[in-house]
Amino acid sequence: EVQLVESGGGLVQPGGSLRLSCAASGLSFSGYSMNWVRQAPGKGLEWISYITGSSSVIHYADSVKGRFTVSRDNAKNSVYLQMNSLRAEDTAVYYCASSYGHLNYWGQGTLVTVSS
Amino acid sequence: DIVMTQSPDSLAVSLGERATINCKSSQSVLSSSNNKNNLVWYQQKPGQPPKVLIQWASTRESGVPDRFTGRGSGTDFSLTINNLQAEDVAVYYCQQYYNIPRTFGQGTKLEIK
């Protein structure tokens, strides 16, 4: 069974930083691209980042470009999202999701709240 | 960026009846390499992550009831739910995986009338 488990969310002040982690099991991790998708409270889904299995290709949504950095460690079956210069509008549940084409497996998400 | 537009934003259908959700992309998501539409439908229930219902616009995921049917090609797609059940109450999203950024529709909230 495939499992993706996010961690690292919490309350942070505007301008602060947070690092999210996503631990994967049950899949050949290095063979999958990984994504981060967020969902603000009561809102829709927003794709924010993508990294290929070898980390050779990385993409970001314009809304987070220059502030967020995605990385992965295939030896640890994990993907990370370093979030800097956080804003109130970054408040959301953050999901990691694997992709082989579409986003096929999703974690349960971790809540990030940016507030003073 | 490819803009995905769903209609309607919300929908109320009686139990046992049919619900249809539409999704339109601002440009074609049909891949010339495999002649498949890079379009997926998700179902999201409160407090849960999205669940894949249909990929390649019309291929039902394993375990998804055959009441769910995806159709369309190019820029126009639909998700039809026949014989609506109470457990189908959810928000439904389409998403294109033709290119980056992977854009979602705004979601359609399905309720029981």
Side-chain angles (χ1 to χ4, degrees):
Chain A
E1 180 193 6
V2 175
Q3 279 199 317
L4 301 175
V5 180
E6 302 93 338
S7 61
L11 175 63
V12 61
Q13 293 188 336
S17 297
L18 214 52
R19 189 194 194 211
L20 305 184
S21 300
C22 171
S25 60
L27 77 169
S28 182
F29 184 71
S30 62
Y32 282 85
S33 297
M34 296 298 294
N35 302 260
W36 289 95
V37 176
R38 69 183 180 183
Q39 187 169 36
K43 302 297 184 182
L45 300 166
E46 180 189 16
W47 170 89
I48 58 171
S49 185
Y50 166 90
I51 183 169
T52 55
S54 63
S55 303
S56 59
V57 177
I58 289 174
H59 291 286
Y60 300 98
D62 287 344
S63 57
V64 306
K65 199 173 295 183
R67 301 187 299 123
F68 290 12
T69 302
V70 64
S71 62
R72 64 189 293 161
D73 184 340
N74 288 340
K76 295 183 177 180
N77 284 358
S78 293
V79 62
Y80 310 98
L81 187 67
Q82 177 67 44
M83 305 187 295
N84 299 330
S85 304
L86 283 162
R87 308 165 179 166
E89 55 264 36
D90 295 317
T91 294
V93 173
Y94 285 73
Y95 297 100
C96 68
S98 61
S99 61
Y100 200 78
H102 67 289
L103 277 60
N104 50 1
Y105 300 112
W106 294 66
Q108 290 296 314
T110 187
L111 176 63
V112 172
T113 302
V114 184
S115 174
S116 55
Chain B
D1 296 4
I2 298 177
V3 177
M4 307 299 290
T5 304
Q6 291 181 226
S7 62
D9 289 335
S10 63
L11 185 59
V13 175
S14 300
L15 290 172
E17 297 299 308
R18 176 184 300 165
T20 299
I21 299 168
N22 299 300
C23 175
K24 188 174 182 66
S25 57
S26 61
Q27 65 185 73
S28 176
V29 298
L30 177 64
S31 173
S32 58
S33 62
N34 60 7
N35 201 36
K36 290 186 175 183
N37 289 281
N38 292 26
L39 190 285
V40 60
W41 288 97
Y42 300 101
Q43 175 193 64
Q44 188 181 32
K45 297 182 178 180
Q48 296 183 20
K51 171 189 172 183
V52 179
L53 294 176
I54 290 169
Q55 61 170 309
W56 302 119
S58 60
T59 301
R60 205 178 296 114
E61 288 289 280
S62 175
V64 173
D66 60 7
R67 302 184 289 105
F68 293 86
T69 302
R71 295 186 179 89
S73 184
T75 61
D76 291 278
F77 303 91
S78 65
L79 173 68
T80 298
I81 309 168
N82 288 310
N83 186 22
L84 190 73
Q85 303 295 302
E87 61 262 31
D88 300 333
V89 169
V91 179
Y92 293 83
Y93 296 92
C94 62
Q95 185 207 15
Q96 63 81 18
Y97 48 101
Y98 182 79
N99 64 10
I100 297 287
R102 302 273 198 248
T103 42
F104 291 89
Q106 79 275 21
T108 296
K109 186 174 185 178
L110 177 60
E111 299 173 312
I112 303 296
K113 187 186 294 183

